[in-house]
């Protein structure tokens, strides 16, 4: 047992992460350090931007052990923020941009951060209470005026590197303080254990959120010269898209949770032409099927990693291809880590006997931020060490030694749970539930009533209406901590000693509260879908009118559901279909099994809400699938209608002037809302058409309170005498819009092919890549695109006194004005907001959340006028 427990050798702390990064910059200044979408940042560029930010932060008083918060989506800017904070000597505190405002505010206050790095959009939607707010977008000129040289800061190994907040059993999150020496130890131990035979230069995926400590292992690799490839959020939610992204980026090292990796395996991960050389899997317990599948392959080298945040990400690992164990184990301790399996009296237990896992060594956190009581409870004096001040961390995990010296994970000794890689303390959810009026007591547990489907279930007493509980919790808890099901009981069952009897808590029966109100399936198609919904959600039945997401569905379950629909019906629908039609009733209509329906421009994403409807016009491509996530982010209370182009079904000729398009959509809009005030908008060309709709409605005497444009520019109109757009050019623009690639990328030589043959090759490539929207006639899609291009070329927008909200991308064509040309038409009624990214990334994760927040505020303001 002494041999298996591991040893802690003398460790000097090595050099800090950012110092190693600076050394790498001198070796490979021009090599790519960070890649996301079309953006590539070299080591030199990243270092200069981080240095400028560091010097700026130093001027604000940032130094060793000073916490600095940042609230940013995963992006190159977020990597600049982390490096800049560390170079200034500070400790970074990541905030989840999608977390409720109350949670972000608590972390800001508890961490003691006096500086927050964020964006203008975040500030407008949140207004954080902090002394200094640094907006990386609007404050960029002041930051860039700082020195580009490496700052010199007297930093010691025991100074803080970061503070990451995890769920807390007492009802509030707790901040885990990690020192620089622990980061250096993690780098050294992982390099020795997992990367001794890795390629000299790797392309490494950054898959986890930055407020999730798994991201730290990928950040560390960047300082060794490896390229950090940031996975777009939309790609993370779709296994097939993830596989395509891994292949396109030629990823060498992939990190993910077992839940996500299982979906990748189901989608054909090991059958791909390119498979990453290394897979680093951790965050939750691995299932036996995934373990056996990986053990049988030699196409990758996969590691099962275990470690609490308090142990600096990873404490033990096991290479699955090299193990003799037929079922999952969490392996052996890393270099300079010691592990002990102890009983309730802190005595070591024998091989095969379960006990609690304790960790010692260089990876241990300093403790919990501003929680000395909890620090003393979890970090205890080391009873087996003669080193002064040595500590043991009580993990709360139940393990046992296997005969070969590996550790077998057996669950928890308390009630903490892991779901989809997130650490959740039920006590925090229970505390939030008890703040709801009328609830006296609450209990939360994870149930697996259907094999393979784990979900959080909340039990409350006394019996109350549980319908408002989900929205109540969403005001203070992140989405992953909101239970999927709620059960109201007269009293919670108790054991003879007066504690809640968790074993006696009943399985939720969704229809039990009001069986008469439930609407069941009304035909075979709805019955089939209701069965698939129930299987995916792990419930017995569902109401065909209820949203998949209101029933506890999340992105991973959504992927499984869409795969099941494909197997059952043969129809392969995009994931966005579920956002557009999240109930069985609405999804059944979209399946279209009852035959073709007459085409209508109106696509109701959300039509049950009570607010003023928002009508969102299609971009140049003609369809509105790009708005699915934006509509979902605005919530069920906001009616949201998409307007798609006539001609997509191939039965009608598309309209070819903006005036004609606007007139046809005005008729449709007035069929839903006969009179104003109207709220209109659109992305790209959609914003231009919405502007013309506003003009026509105002001419008819109606009130238009808001026109919301997402990266829309005043068209550069051509004279009427100008010939129509060259078809070869239109085909090239079509390929760029549909797939984000040029004709050269597709190996199409326009000099050798006629435009029609070029178009055929583009459509074939789009079909193979899955870029064509499901159910859309490919040739009709191009004809709509071509007609819309021509309409934009001929349009001359009028000037008018109209409120316009314009959200535009930071990266733009420098020949175009930053205001899009709209200030000359609407004057002071123009409200502009700039967000990081490109024209095509604004409606994708992660920026769609910021777009939704700005749009929601504008819609609220318009409703109050």
């Amino acid at each position: 047992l002494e041999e298996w427990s591991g040893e802690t050798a003398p460790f000097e702390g090595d050099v800090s992460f950012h110092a190693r990064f600076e050394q790498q910059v001198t070796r490979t200044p021009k090599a790519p350090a960070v890649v996301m979408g079309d953006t590539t940042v070299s080591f030199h560029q990243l270092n200069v931007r981080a240095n400028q930010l560091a010097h700026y932060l130093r001027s604000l008083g940032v130094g060793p052990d000073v916490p600095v918060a940042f609230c940013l989506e995963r992006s190159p800017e977020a990597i600049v923020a982390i490096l800049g904070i560390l170079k200034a000597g500070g400790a970074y505190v990541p905030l989840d941009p999608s977390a409720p405002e109350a949670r972000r505010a608590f972390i800001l206050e508890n961490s003691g951060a006096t500086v927050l790095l964020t964006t203008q959009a975040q500030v407008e939607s949140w207004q954080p209470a902090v002394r200094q707010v640094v907006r990386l977008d609007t404050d960029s000129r002041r930051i860039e005026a700082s020195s580009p040289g490496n700052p010199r800061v007297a930093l010691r190994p025991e100074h803080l590197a970061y503070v990451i907040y995890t769920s807390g059993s007492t009802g509030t999150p707790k901040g885990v303080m990690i020192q620089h020496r622990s980061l250096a130890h993690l780098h050294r131990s992982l390099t020795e254990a997992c990367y001794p035979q890795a390629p000299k230069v790797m392309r490494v995926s950054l898959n986890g959120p930055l407020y999730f400590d798994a991201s730290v292992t990928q950040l560390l690799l960047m300082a060794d010269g490896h390229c950090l490839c940031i996975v777009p959020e939309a790609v993370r939610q779709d296994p097939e898209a993830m596989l395509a992204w891994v292949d396109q980026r030629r990823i060498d090292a992939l990190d993910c949770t077992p839940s996500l990796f299982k979906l990748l395996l189901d989608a054909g991960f090991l059958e791909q032409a390119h498979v990453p050389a290394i897979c680093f899997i951790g965050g939750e317990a691995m299932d036996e099927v995934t373990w056996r599948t990986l053990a049988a392959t030699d196409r990758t080298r996969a590691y099962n990693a275990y470690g609490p945040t308090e142990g600096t990400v990873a404490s033990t690992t096991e290479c699955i291809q090299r193990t003799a164990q037929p079922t999952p184990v969490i392996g052996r301790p890393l270099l300079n880590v010691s592990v002990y399996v102890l009983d309730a009296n802190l005595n070591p237990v024998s091989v095969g006997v379960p006990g609690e896992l304790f960790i010692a060594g260089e990876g241990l956190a300093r403790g919990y931020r501003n929680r000395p009581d909890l620090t003393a409870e979890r970090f205890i004096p080391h009873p087996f060490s003669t080193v002064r001040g040595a500590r043991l961390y009580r993990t709360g995990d139940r393990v046992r030694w296997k005969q070969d010296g590996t550790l077998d994970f057996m669950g928890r000794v308390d009630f903490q749970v892991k779901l989809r890689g997130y650490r959740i303390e039920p006590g925090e959810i229970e505390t939030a539930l008890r703040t709801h009026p009328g609830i006296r007591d609450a209990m939360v547990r994870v149930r697996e009533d259907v094999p393979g489907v784990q979900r959080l279930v909340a039990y409350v007493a006394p019996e109350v209406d549980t319908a408002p509980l989900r929205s109540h919790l969403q005001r203070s808890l992140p989405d992953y901590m909101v239970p999927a099901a709620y059960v109201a009981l007269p009293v919670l069952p108790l054991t003879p000693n007066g504690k809640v009897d968790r074993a006696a808590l009943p399985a939720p029966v969704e229809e039990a509260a009001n069986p008469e109100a439930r609407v069941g399936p009304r035909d075979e198609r709805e019955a089939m879908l209701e069965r698939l919904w129930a299987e995916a959600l792990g419930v017995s039945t569902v109401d065909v009118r209820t949203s998949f997401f209101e029933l506890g569905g999340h992105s991973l379950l959504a992927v499984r559901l869409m795969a099941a629909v494909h197997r059952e019906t043969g129809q392969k629908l995009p994931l966005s279909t579920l956002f557009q039609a999240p109930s069985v009733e609405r999804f059944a209509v979209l399946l279209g099994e009852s035959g073709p329906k007459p085409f209508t421009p109106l696509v109701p994403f959300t039509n049950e809400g009570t607010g003023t409807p928002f009508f969102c016009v299609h971009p140049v491509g003609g369809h509105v699938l790009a708005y699915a996530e934006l509509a979902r982010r605005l919530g069920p209370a906001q009616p949201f209608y998409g307007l798609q182009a006539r001609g997509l079904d191939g039965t009608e000729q598309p309209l070819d002037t903006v005036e004609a398009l606007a007139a046809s959509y005005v008729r449709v809009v007035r069929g839903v809302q006969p009179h104003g005030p109207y709220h209109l908008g659109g992305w790209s060309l959609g914003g231009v058409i919405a502007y013309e709709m506003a003009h026509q409605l105002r001419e008819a005497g109606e009130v238009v309170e808001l026109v919301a444009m997402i990266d829309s520019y005043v068209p550069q109109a051509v004279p009427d005498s100008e010939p129509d757009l060259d078809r070869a050019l239109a085909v090239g623009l079509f390929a760029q819009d549909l797939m984000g690639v040029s004709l050269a990328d597709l190996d199409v030589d326009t000099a050798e092919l006629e435009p029609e043959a070029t178009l055929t090759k583009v459509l074939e490539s789009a079909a193979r890549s899955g870029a064509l929207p499901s159910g859309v006639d490919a040739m009709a899609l191009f004809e709509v695109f071509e007609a819309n291009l021509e309409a934009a070329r001929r349009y001359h927008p009028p000037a008018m006194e109209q409120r316009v909200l314009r959200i535009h991308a930071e990266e733009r064509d420098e020949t175009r004005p930053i205001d899009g040309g709209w200030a000359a038409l609407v004057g002071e009624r123009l409200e502009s907001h700039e967000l990081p990214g490109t024209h095509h990334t604004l409606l994708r994760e992660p920026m769609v959340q910021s777009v939704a927040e700005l749009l929601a505020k504008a819609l609220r303001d318009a409703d109050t006028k």
Side-chain angles (χ1 to χ4, degrees):
L1 290 179
E2 288 180 359
E3 180 183 341
W4 292 349
S5 293
E7 298 179 359
T8 52
F11 183 70
E12 298 302 323
D14 204 349
V15 295
S16 65
F17 162 64
H18 56 278
R20 284 191 294 106
F21 175 82
E22 290 168 357
Q23 294 168 2
Q24 185 62 42
V25 171
T26 64
R27 292 190 290 268
T28 58
K30 296 182 179 180
V34 179
V35 172
M36 183 176 184
D38 299 330
T39 302
T40 299
V41 184
S42 70
F43 277 91
H44 172 72
Q45 291 169 329
L46 185 58
N47 193 51
V48 167
R49 291 174 61 184
N51 287 343
Q52 290 170 331
L53 178 59
H55 285 291
Y56 185 74
L57 291 175
R58 294 283 290 170
S59 72
L60 299 180
V62 175
D65 269 2
V66 174
V68 179
F70 72 84
C71 189
L72 300 163
E73 302 287 357
R74 287 176 311 131
S75 61
E77 289 72 24
I79 307 304
V80 170
I82 291 174
L83 271 172
I85 293 168
L86 294 175
K87 282 169 170 279
Y92 72 87
V93 184
L95 304 180
D96 177 4
S98 64
E101 181 178 330
R103 190 179 187 86
R104 285 179 281 168
F106 171 82
I107 294 174
L108 264 185
E109 181 181 4
N110 181 263
S111 68
T114 57
V115 179
L116 170 67
L117 305 183
T118 185
T119 63
Q120 178 67 23
Q122 285 282 349
V123 171
E124 290 177 0
S125 62
W126 175 20
Q127 297 179 345
V130 65
R131 191 179 70 195
Q132 296 279 355
V133 176
V134 179
R135 302 162 181 84
L136 294 184
D137 44 7
T138 56
D139 293 337
S140 59
R141 289 189 178 179
R142 281 192 289 173
I143 297 170
E144 290 165 3
S146 301
S147 169
N150 294 332
R152 295 184 178 182
V153 181
L155 203 64
R156 297 192 299 274
E158 61 270 22
H159 282 137
L160 286 182
Y162 63 79
V163 183
I164 281 184
Y165 279 75
T166 66
S167 180
S169 59
T170 59
T172 55
K174 52 183 183 288
V176 182
M177 300 185 291
I178 300 297
Q179 301 171 126
H180 280 280
R181 67 179 302 118
S182 295
L183 270 191
H185 153 261
L186 179 65
H187 168 259
R188 180 178 171 187
S189 57
L190 282 182
T191 300
E192 178 180 284
C194 304
Y195 303 109
Q197 299 174 346
K200 186 175 181 181
V201 177
M202 296 191 295
R203 298 176 69 83
V204 180
S205 71
L206 179 59
N207 191 25
L210 294 173
Y211 56 87
F212 189 28
D213 71 339
S215 62
V216 174
T217 58
Q218 285 71 58
L219 290 171
L220 291 178
L221 287 171
M222 185 176 61
D224 289 334
H226 304 301
C227 177
L228 201 61
C229 299
I230 302 176
V231 187
E233 189 63 28
V235 170
R236 292 182 73 233
Q237 297 177 5
D238 186 340
E240 293 187 358
M242 183 81 167
L243 293 185
W245 181 85
V246 167
D247 180 71
Q248 177 192 17
R249 292 295 184 189
R250 313 304 287 179
I251 297 299
D252 299 298
L254 175 70
D255 75 287
C256 61
T257 62
S259 299
L260 176 57
F261 198 78
K262 186 174 183 179
L263 292 175
L264 294 177
L265 288 175
D266 293 342
F269 177 83
L270 293 175
E271 289 74 50
Q272 293 285 104
H274 173 79
V275 176
I278 297 172
C279 292
F280 201 73
I281 306 168
E284 61 186 340
M286 183 178 291
D287 64 284
E288 292 190 17
V289 173
T290 301
W291 180 273
R292 289 195 298 268
T293 303
L294 287 170
T297 185
D298 60 359
R299 298 209 63 200
T300 188
R301 192 165 71 254
Y303 292 88
N304 188 29
Y306 163 85
T309 304
E310 291 84 347
T312 313
V313 189
S315 300
T316 70
T317 60
E318 182 77 356
C319 181
I320 301 174
Q321 283 74 32
R322 297 173 183 170
T323 188
Q325 291 295 337
T327 56
V329 294
I330 59 174
R332 297 170 172 83
L334 293 173
L335 174 72
N336 281 320
V337 173
S338 297
V339 295
Y340 301 87
V341 185
L342 308 179
D343 62 17
N345 296 316
L346 301 184
N347 295 314
V349 300
S350 302
V351 175
V353 177
E356 184 176 357
L357 178 62
F358 288 73
I359 300 174
E362 289 294 340
L364 290 197
R366 181 189 290 181
Y368 299 109
R369 185 74 174 175
N370 290 323
R371 290 296 306 274
D373 55 334
L374 189 59
T375 300
E377 176 188 329
R378 307 301 296 186
F379 295 84
I380 65 174
H382 196 326
F384 312 115
S385 175
T386 58
V387 177
R388 184 178 181 182
R391 300 173 300 157
L392 279 182
Y393 171 66
R394 182 190 295 269
T395 68
D397 287 325
R398 196 163 177 260
V399 300
R400 64 182 175 186
W401 289 112
K402 304 281 280 187
Q403 291 292 340
D404 64 346
T406 57
L407 288 168
D408 186 16
F409 181 80
M410 303 178 69
R412 294 286 298 177
V413 298
D414 56 15
F415 303 117
Q416 186 190 101
V417 296
K418 280 285 192 81
L419 274 181
R420 307 192 301 280
Y422 293 105
R423 182 165 117 184
I424 299 171
E425 293 280 4
E428 185 175 354
I429 309 172
E430 292 160 4
T431 299
L433 281 167
R434 293 186 189 108
T435 64
H436 188 276
I439 291 181
R440 183 177 63 251
D441 204 358
M443 184 64 64
V444 174
R445 61 169 294 193
V446 170
R447 298 191 67 99
E448 192 172 345
D449 298 305
V450 175
V453 180
Q454 289 188 321
R455 57 181 182 149
L456 282 173
V457 179
Y459 298 86
V460 296
E463 290 181 311
V464 295
D465 179 12
T466 60
L469 295 183
R470 171 178 287 273
S471 58
H472 172 73
L473 292 179
Q474 286 175 328
R475 288 194 285 269
S476 60
L477 299 176
D479 283 345
Y480 65 84
M481 291 182 67
V482 177
Y486 301 82
V487 179
L489 301 170
V491 294
L492 298 183
L494 301 179
T495 62
N497 62 6
K499 295 183 178 180
V500 175
D501 187 352
R502 291 175 177 267
L505 293 169
V509 181
E510 281 65 29
E511 68 275 19
N514 191 359
E516 306 84 30
R518 174 183 169 268
V519 174
R522 291 151 299 193
D523 54 37
E524 291 185 5
R525 183 165 14 121
E526 286 191 351
M528 176 268 295
L529 291 174
E530 193 251 7
R531 173 173 54 82
L532 297 182
W533 250 246
E535 289 174 356
L537 292 164
V539 298
S540 55
T541 58
V542 299
D543 189 314
V544 298
R545 302 165 302 175
T546 306
S547 165
F548 177 80
F549 301 100
E550 290 177 7
L551 292 168
H554 51 75
S555 57
L556 291 181
L557 288 182
V559 170
R560 293 174 185 169
L561 175 60
M562 296 304 286
V565 170
H566 181 213
R567 288 194 302 270
E568 194 84 14
T569 68
Q571 296 191 49
K572 186 170 179 56
L573 302 172
L575 187 60
S576 57
T577 305
L578 190 58
F579 299 127
Q580 182 181 350
S583 68
V584 168
E585 183 179 61
R586 290 172 59 183
F587 199 93
V589 174
L590 282 190
L591 275 180
E593 292 183 356
S594 58
K597 291 181 170 53
F599 177 83
T600 173
L602 198 67
V603 179
F605 285 90
T606 309
N607 59 357
E608 289 92 2
T610 57
T612 304
F614 178 63
F615 297 94
C616 200
V617 187
H618 62 81
V620 68
H623 55 83
V624 292
L625 293 180
Y627 300 140
E629 185 62 18
L630 176 62
R632 190 174 81 84
R633 295 295 179 116
L634 288 175
Q638 174 59 59
F640 190 113
Y641 294 88
L643 293 167
Q644 61 183 347
R646 191 179 80 177
L648 285 176
D649 61 350
T651 61
E652 295 183 273
Q653 285 297 312
L655 300 172
D656 59 359
T657 70
V658 168
E659 292 84 353
L661 287 161
S664 70
Y665 300 150
V666 164
R667 288 193 292 272
V668 172
V669 165
R670 299 189 88 161
V672 176
Q673 183 186 350
H675 299 288
Y678 291 101
H679 299 166
L680 311 173
W683 171 46
S684 193
L685 177 62
V688 178
I689 299 172
Y691 185 83
E692 174 60 27
M693 290 172 65
H695 173 68
Q696 294 184 15
L697 284 165
R698 288 162 58 98
E699 288 291 298
E702 295 289 353
V703 174
V704 179
E705 285 289 359
L706 176 68
V707 174
M709 300 177 176
I710 304 172
D711 218 44
S712 301
Y713 288 83
V714 173
Q716 298 175 332
V718 300
D720 292 339
S721 58
E722 181 85 10
D724 289 347
L725 186 67
D726 179 69
R727 175 157 267 214
L729 178 58
V731 172
L733 293 172
F734 180 65
Q736 182 68 39
D737 183 74
L738 193 61
M739 294 177 285
V741 297
S742 67
L743 295 178
D745 293 330
L746 297 175
D747 293 327
V748 174
D749 189 347
T750 54
E752 294 183 1
L753 295 175
E754 293 295 322
E756 297 304 323
T758 301
L759 177 59
T760 299
K761 283 189 170 293
V762 169
L763 294 177
E764 289 173 351
S765 178
R768 286 194 303 271
S769 68
L772 280 173
S774 180
V776 173
D777 182 301
M779 185 57 73
L781 190 66
F782 172 71
E783 291 175 354
V784 167
F785 179 89
E786 189 176 34
N788 286 337
L789 271 182
E790 189 59 32
R793 293 179 76 232
R794 304 292 179 182
Y795 180 55
H796 297 268
M800 57 181 175
E801 283 288 319
Q802 173 61 55
R803 184 193 175 199
V804 172
L805 168 75
R806 182 170 181 268
I807 303 169
H808 62 276
E810 179 183 34
E811 296 184 32
R812 61 184 175 86
D813 184 346
E814 293 298 331
T815 63
R816 292 186 168 187
I818 193 168
D819 65 4
W822 296 107
L825 298 175
V826 300
E828 294 181 356
R829 301 294 310 272
L830 177 66
E831 176 187 341
S832 291
H833 299 273
E834 184 174 271
L835 294 176
T838 68
H839 180 73
H840 287 92
T841 61
L842 284 180
L843 289 179
R844 304 173 189 165
E845 291 287 359
M847 291 318 303
V848 67
Q849 177 65 28
S850 297
V851 173
E853 289 171 355
L854 289 169
L855 180 55
K857 182 177 183 299
L859 291 170
R860 288 194 302 270
D861 292 346
D863 272 336
T864 58
K865 293 200 180 235

